[in-house]
């Protein structure tokens, strides 16, 4: 019995070939992740990291797009140190574009997060028809921003026989009305040229920027609705029932149960909206081209203008300086989100 | 970083550097257009005409392909405002279109970088044959070398109106500046908007400032300003903007900056405004974009903006579209053949017959124009070197000054602050040492 027992408990000896194959599979396991990420890494290095590095480096040189700055041609370098940054930071156009971008940065995420929250909670409460409402808000997302700009340019057309908004205001008898409320001046009718100004003392905020934020918000809210509706699916129904048993009304359930559960998705919506607002270009380009004058000029459009429109004065170095400054602001704005992503444990 | 990764990164950097270096290399020198009908291959042409104008240009290209059956021309239409940036991207990337539409500002910039085909030999022949003048050659040149062909001429400062509307309001066609403003005053009193201005598109504002500078400051000051020989604070230029400020305050519509060019054109065509100051191309645009029932010459016509100062000699405000050939073209024969064709009377007659076009080639017969409006506009085209003319100021300057000039004009329409405008332009345009 004893030998039999000994035979039964002794681990079976591995054949040398099996040992080799397991070693190989362990090695493969160790290298597999690297193999899987290699294609993405190549794309990342070639199309993101390298251009980003070249952008940062080229911001210290004077050059134009017709003769692009190249790290491989030191004989053509025109090193200007921090001049591009100095020139950018002392340029009135830069600060005007920064102010307009700041309007986008504050108003756009607030509108997107606010309406998405409201809509997603209402959809959550709806016994039926939720899918219809979700679709309604998501559909504009399928339209390109350039097309959105064209559609809204028609809506804003000053001629009431063409522009829907002015046609409605005309019927209501308030087309061309001027209102002055404290520091706020509002003129109805010229939505893309002079809808009014908010005088802040140290600066005038042109309301034309809001006329551009609204179409972007219309097109982008679907993203917020999807994200928050998905977030709400994780709310336990028992928790809501318990709150109701404790006497919470609909508003209190939303305020103390649903909204706290949406904190993480709200951060996502907020950060993505901030990044969207910072890099706004297409809708402004299509609807006003940054005008009238520089009323709606935003940083991304100013950057484009410096690089592509100012050919006679090589300004691409200034454009890259703006790009670097913009990237720094974006990284700072997205820091919390990025940290959350990077420290998140899998599973 | 492992050896392998290091090699990969080095490879990518090298590949990218090679691509960048390649953009700066290549090309050939000089050459001649092959004999008619002997060019072959495919060429790419960038133009910015759409709608009725796009069809007219296509007709010209079709005629070229008929005459050169071995050549295929691929037209790429790009929006007017984006032409400069798109061309820059394509030239910088080393894949320029063989032939592209261009304005003098961009021609000078590209010529400085040695990106264009030299067309001096062709121009020598054209000037000698009397097809073009030396003045036009200068517009197509940079540093004395011709790099472009003149394809589409245009005369501006044409004040478009409806003869019926003028009759109804009891207004005579104005012959003097005072009659011009009196006509607008009368329209205002009758509840008709005196002017239609599509300021949203930017360039229609320069259609006003150019003829006013030509009339108030004169052709000499106009051309000196264009070439950076005088500053914006020159008293003659300041006075021009004072005159413009008066017009804006009295007659420009409140919605000037909100109204696009086509909307303004159609508002005038539908008699919702008395006058529109624009170029000869309005003759093609009104029936095509507003109402095809409107007949040129009968339902709408124009008078030349009157002189501001009778003592000042006549000076015609002209503009137009030119075409350039890429030095790096892979088919120089077909490229030169098309450029030569575009400059010819034969090609220009194809569009002239369709209307809304002024042929820059002096050999184009006035008979080919389809109606009285086009014939009248073509007569205004400066056919000899002794006619004072000013080429479209902002198109001539191009680049940063052009962009900022249009921005400053939009602001000017809003506040009519001459001092602020002159200060802005003096800061922007430092060519005269301002």
């Amino acid at each position: 019995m004893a030998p039999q027992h000994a035979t039964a408990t002794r681990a079976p000896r591995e054949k040398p070939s099996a040992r080799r194959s397991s070693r190989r599979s362990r090695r493969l396991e160790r290298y597999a992740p690297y193999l899987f990420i290699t294609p993405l890494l190549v794309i990342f290095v070639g199309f993101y990291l390298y251009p980003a590095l070249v952008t940062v480096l080229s911001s210290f040189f004077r050059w134009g797009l017709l003769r692009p700055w190249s790290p491989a041609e030191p004989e053509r370098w025109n090193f200007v140190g921090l001049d591009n940054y100095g020139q950018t930071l002392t340029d009135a156009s830069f600060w005007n574009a920064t102010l307009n971008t700041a309007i986008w940065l504050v108003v756009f995420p607030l509108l997107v997060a606010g309406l998405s929250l409201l809509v997603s909670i209402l959809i959550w409460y709806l016994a039926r028809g939720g899918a219809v409402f979700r679709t309604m808000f998501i559909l504009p997302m399928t339209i390109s921003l350039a097309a959105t700009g064209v559609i809204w340019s028609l809506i804003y057309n000053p001629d009431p026989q063409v522009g829907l908004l002015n046609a409605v205001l005309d019927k209501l008898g308030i087309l061309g009305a001027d209102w002055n409320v404290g520091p706020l001046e509002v003129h109805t009718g010229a939505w893309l040229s002079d809808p009014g100004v908010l005088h802040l003392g140290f600066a005038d905020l042109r309301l034309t920027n809001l006329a551009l934020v609204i179409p972007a918000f219309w097109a982008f809210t679907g993203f917020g609705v999807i994200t928050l509706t998905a977030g709400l699916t994780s709310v336990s129904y028992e928790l809501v029932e318990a709150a109701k048993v404790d006497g919470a009304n609909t508003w209190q359930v939303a305020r103390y149960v649903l909204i706290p559960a949406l904190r993480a998705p709200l951060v996502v919506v907020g950060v993505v909206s901030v990044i969207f607002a910072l890099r706004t270009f297409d809708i402004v380009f299509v609807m006003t081209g940054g005008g009238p004058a520089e009323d709606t000029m935003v940083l991304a459009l100013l950057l484009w203008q410096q690089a592509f429109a100012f050919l006679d004065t090589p300004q691409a170095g200034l454009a890259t300086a703006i790009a670097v400054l913009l990237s720094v602001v974006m990284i700072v704005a997205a820091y919390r989100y990025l940290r959350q992503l990077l420290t998140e444990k899998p599973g | 970083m492992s050896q392998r990764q290091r090699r990969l990164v080095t490879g990518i950097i090298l590949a990218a550097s090679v691509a960048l270096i390649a953009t700066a290399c290549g090309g050939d020198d000089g050459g001649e257009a092959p004999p008619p009908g002997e060019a072959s291959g495919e060429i790419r042409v960038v133009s910015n005409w759409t709608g009725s104008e796009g069809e007219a240009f296509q007709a010209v290209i079709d005629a070229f392909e008929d005459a050169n059956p071995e050549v295929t021309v691929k037209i790429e239409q790009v929006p007017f405002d984006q032409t400069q940036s798109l061309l820059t991207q394509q030239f910088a990337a080393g894949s320029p279109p063989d032939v592209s539409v261009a304005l003098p500002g961009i021609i000078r910039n590209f010529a400085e970088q040695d990106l264009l085909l030299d067309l001096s030999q062709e121009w020598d022949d054209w000037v000698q044959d009397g097809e073009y003048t030396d003045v036009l050659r200068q517009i197509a040149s940079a540093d004395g070398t011709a790099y472009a062909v003149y394809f589409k001429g245009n005369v501006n400062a044409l004040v478009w109106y409806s003869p019926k509307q003028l009759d109804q309001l009891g207004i005579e066609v104005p012959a003097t500046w005072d009659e011009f403003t009196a006509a607008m005053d009368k329209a205002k009193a009758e509840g008709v908007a005196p002017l239609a201005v599509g300021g949203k598109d930017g360039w229609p504002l320069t259609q006003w400032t150019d003829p006013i500078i030509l009339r108030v400051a004169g052709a000499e000051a106009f051309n000196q300003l264009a070439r950076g020989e005088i500053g914006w604070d020159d008293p003659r230029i300041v006075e021009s903007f004072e005159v413009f400020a008066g017009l804006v305050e009295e007659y420009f519509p409140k919605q000037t900056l909100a109204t696009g060019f086509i909307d303004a054109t159609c508002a005038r065509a539908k008699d919702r405004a008395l006058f529109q100051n624009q170029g000869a191309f309005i003759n093609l645009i009104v029936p095509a974009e507003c109402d095809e029932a409107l007949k040129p010459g009968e339902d709408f016509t124009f008078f030349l903006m009157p002189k501001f100062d009778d003592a000042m000699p006549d000076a015609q405000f002209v503009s137009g579209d030119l075409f350039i050939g890429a030095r790096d073209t892979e088919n120089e024969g077909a490229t030169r053949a098309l450029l030569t064709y575009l400059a010819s009377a034969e090609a220009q007659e194809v569009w002239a017959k369709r209307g809304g076009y002024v042929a820059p080639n002096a050999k184009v017969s006035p008979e080919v124009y389809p109606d009285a409006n086009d014939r009248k506009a073509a007569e205004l085209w400066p056919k000899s070197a002794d006619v004072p003319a000013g080429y479209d100021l902002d198109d001539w300057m191009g680049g940063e000054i052009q962009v900022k000039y249009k921005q400053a004009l939009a602001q000017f329409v809003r506040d009519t602050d001459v001092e602020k405008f002159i200060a802005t332009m003096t800061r922007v345009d430092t060519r005269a040492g301002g």
Side-chain angles (χ1 to χ4, degrees):
Chain A
M1 290 295 285
Q4 270 178 2
H5 176 78
T7 314
T9 54
R10 196 183 298 146
R13 285 186 65 180
E14 281 178 28
K15 284 183 182 168
S17 64
R19 245 194 345 258
R20 267 202 307 276
S21 126
S22 121
R23 211 178 302 140
R24 209 169 34 234
S25 89
R26 267 205 306 277
R27 205 184 307 144
L28 197 68
E29 231 169 64
R30 215 165 72 209
Y31 289 115
Y34 296 102
L35 278 175
F36 287 130
I37 65 163
T38 300
L40 193 64
L41 196 70
V42 169
I43 293 170
F44 174 74
V45 171
F47 294 98
Y48 290 86
L49 194 61
Y50 175 72
L53 279 176
V54 170
T55 301
V56 175
L57 286 176
S58 67
S59 69
F60 300 108
F61 297 86
R62 183 177 165 82
W63 57 283
L65 263 198
L66 277 176
R67 298 295 298 273
W69 182 85
S70 159
E73 290 180 279
E75 67 281 359
R76 284 206 298 111
W77 290 356
N78 183 2
F79 183 70
V80 292
L82 291 172
D83 270 12
N84 286 331
Y85 290 92
Q87 211 175 318
T88 299
L89 293 171
T90 52
D91 181 9
S93 294
F94 173 77
W95 290 109
N96 169 65
T98 304
L99 187 67
N100 293 337
T101 308
I103 295 175
W104 274 85
L105 210 52
V106 172
V107 179
F108 181 72
L110 279 179
L111 280 177
V112 170
L115 190 80
S116 307
L117 188 65
L118 187 71
V119 170
S120 53
I121 289 177
L122 287 177
I123 289 174
W124 190 83
Y125 270 120
L126 276 181
R128 62 181 68 179
V132 175
F133 283 99
R134 251 198 319 270
T135 312
M136 262 172 55
F137 281 92
I138 291 164
L139 265 182
M141 271 181 79
T142 58
I143 304 173
S144 79
L145 276 177
T148 301
V150 174
I151 294 167
W152 278 82
S153 293
L154 284 173
I155 293 174
Y156 284 143
N157 193 298
D159 184 345
Q161 290 177 22
V162 182
L164 179 68
L165 184 56
N166 281 359
V168 172
L169 295 180
D170 198 24
K171 287 268 179 265
L172 296 174
I174 51 169
L175 182 62
D178 294 333
W179 294 304
N180 290 310
V181 188
L184 183 67
E185 262 181 49
V186 178
H187 320 293
T188 61
W191 303 105
L192 293 178
S193 61
D194 191 16
V197 189
L198 176 63
H199 301 283
L200 291 179
F202 62 94
D204 286 343
L205 297 185
R206 295 266 171 200
L207 301 190
T208 325
N209 288 288
L210 295 185
L212 300 185
V213 168
I214 289 165
F217 153 69
W218 174 78
F220 193 75
T221 300
F223 165 75
V225 173
I226 295 177
T227 313
L228 298 186
T229 318
L232 280 174
T233 56
S234 66
V235 175
S236 126
Y237 199 68
E238 286 78 11
L239 196 63
V240 177
E241 282 299 302
K244 280 183 182 165
V245 169
D246 286 346
N249 58 26
T250 306
W251 159 246
Q252 286 167 324
V253 169
R255 169 71 185 84
Y256 297 106
V257 180
L258 301 182
I259 295 179
L262 288 176
R263 196 166 291 157
L266 268 173
V267 170
V268 173
V269 172
V271 170
V272 175
S273 308
V274 163
I275 293 174
F276 179 97
L278 268 172
R279 62 179 182 81
T280 296
F281 174 84
D282 27 20
I283 209 152
V284 182
F285 187 79
V286 169
M287 292 183 76
T288 61
E294 291 186 278
D295 286 3
T296 54
M297 184 63 72
V298 287
L299 285 171
L301 189 56
L302 182 70
L303 182 162
W304 174 87
Q305 196 181 63
Q306 299 272 24
F308 295 105
F310 299 171
L311 280 186
D312 49 337
T313 45
Q315 303 271 11
L318 289 178
T320 50
I322 298 174
V324 171
L325 291 170
L326 208 54
S327 304
V328 170
V329 176
M330 270 192 213
I331 291 166
V332 170
Y335 176 71
R336 193 176 155 193
Y337 175 56
L338 290 175
R339 202 178 62 172
Q340 196 178 323
L341 270 185
L342 294 172
T343 53
E344 228 165 52
K345 289 197 177 93
Chain B
M1 196 187 270
S2 73
Q3 185 79 18
R4 200 168 160 185
Q5 284 169 320
R6 216 172 291 147
R7 236 180 278 149
L8 179 68
V9 173
T10 316
I12 290 166
I13 291 173
L14 273 175
S17 307
V18 166
L20 287 172
I21 293 164
T23 63
C25 302
D28 54 349
D29 299 312
E32 270 180 48
E38 285 185 20
S40 61
E42 188 180 297
I43 50 172
R44 193 157 65 89
V45 178
V46 163
S47 76
N48 47 32
W49 293 293
T50 54
S52 46
E53 291 192 303
E55 287 165 17
F57 183 62
Q58 182 65 58
V60 175
I61 295 299
D62 290 346
F64 171 75
E65 285 180 326
D66 288 346
N68 295 270
E70 298 301 313
V71 181
T72 309
V73 180
K74 207 176 129 206
I75 300 177
E76 279 178 22
Q77 277 174 353
V78 300
F80 175 76
D81 282 347
Q82 290 163 42
T83 311
Q84 173 167 300
S85 57
L86 285 165
L87 287 181
T88 305
Q89 287 169 40
Q90 295 189 4
F91 271 86
S95 54
D98 301 283
V99 174
S100 43
V101 70
L103 295 171
I106 202 170
I107 293 169
R108 287 200 308 278
N109 281 314
F110 283 12
E112 275 169 26
Q113 305 292 334
D114 198 17
L115 296 168
L116 304 179
L117 279 181
D118 182 345
L119 301 168
S120 299
Q121 211 178 319
E122 285 85 346
W123 271 95
D124 288 343
D125 298 340
W126 298 332
V127 174
Q128 206 178 342
D129 294 349
E131 290 182 80
Y132 291 92
T133 66
D134 261 329
V135 176
L136 296 177
R137 184 187 182 134
Q138 281 165 31
I139 293 168
S141 300
D143 279 337
T145 306
Y147 290 107
V149 299
Y150 221 126
F151 169 65
K152 185 173 184 277
N154 185 43
V155 287
N156 302 291
L158 309 184
V159 182
W160 293 87
Y161 67 96
S162 147
K164 282 177 202 147
Q165 191 186 28
L166 235 59
D167 274 354
Q168 278 164 7
L169 293 170
I171 297 172
E172 292 286 313
V173 175
T176 65
W177 189 266
D178 287 343
E179 286 175 14
F180 179 44
T181 54
M184 291 192 285
D185 287 333
K186 183 148 194 203
K188 253 169 86 175
E190 298 286 338
V192 175
L195 294 172
V197 186
K200 182 172 182 250
D201 291 322
W203 64 268
L205 297 177
T206 69
Q207 289 281 359
W208 276 98
T209 51
D210 285 12
I212 290 173
I213 298 173
L214 275 169
R215 278 157 181 71
V216 178
E220 192 189 342
F222 180 97
N223 286 317
Q224 284 174 329
L225 181 70
R227 285 155 184 79
E229 290 159 14
I230 58 168
W232 292 80
D233 51 358
D234 184 283
R236 294 167 294 177
I237 305 301
V238 175
E239 193 198 344
S240 308
F241 280 91
E242 280 162 358
V243 171
F244 181 47
L247 284 181
V248 172
E249 283 163 5
E250 287 295 320
Y251 309 115
F252 268 40
K254 199 179 164 195
Q255 302 282 27
T256 292
L257 297 179
T259 309
F261 161 65
I262 294 290
D263 286 341
T265 303
C266 294
R268 220 288 327 123
K270 289 169 187 165
D271 290 350
R272 281 155 56 195
L274 183 69
F275 294 144
Q276 184 191 19
N277 166 43
Q278 266 298 349
F281 46 81
I282 289 292
N283 205 37
L284 186 62
I285 289 175
V286 166
E289 308 288 339
C290 307
D291 183 353
E292 58 184 22
L294 291 174
K295 291 199 169 47
E298 273 176 49
D299 297 315
F300 65 102
T301 185
F302 66 85
F303 59 89
L304 189 63
M305 187 188 284
K307 279 182 171 189
F308 179 77
D309 179 354
D310 285 341
M312 194 71 81
D314 274 324
Q316 186 53 50
F317 165 28
V318 299
S319 57
D321 299 280
L322 298 98
F323 274 92
I324 49 176
R327 202 197 61 154
D328 287 350
T329 175
E330 284 171 8
N331 192 345
E332 188 179 328
T335 298
R336 279 188 188 275
L338 179 59
L339 288 169
T340 311
Y341 179 75
L342 291 174
S344 70
E346 182 193 350
Q348 294 177 13
E349 279 178 6
V350 175
W351 193 330
K353 279 178 193 162
R354 290 173 163 251
Y357 177 89
V358 173
N361 189 315
K363 299 275 180 189
V364 171
S365 161
E367 304 302 314
V368 299
Y369 294 101
D371 58 61
N373 283 350
D374 279 328
R375 270 191 294 277
K376 205 158 72 164
E379 277 168 24
L380 293 168
W381 180 255
K383 292 181 183 67
S384 71
D386 51 347
V387 177
Y391 185 87
D392 195 298
L393 186 64
D394 67 299
D395 283 348
W396 174 267
M397 295 183 298
E400 181 172 5
I401 304 173
Q402 181 179 30
V403 172
K404 295 201 166 165
Y405 176 45
K406 287 187 203 163
Q407 287 172 350
L409 274 181
Q411 183 59 36
F412 185 77
V413 165
R414 201 148 48 192
D415 60 22
T416 57
D417 186 337
V418 177
E419 207 176 310
K420 191 168 116 190
F421 173 81
I422 297 294
T424 303
M425 287 313 298
T426 305
R427 198 173 54 246
V428 168
D429 183 1
T430 54
R431 294 172 304 159

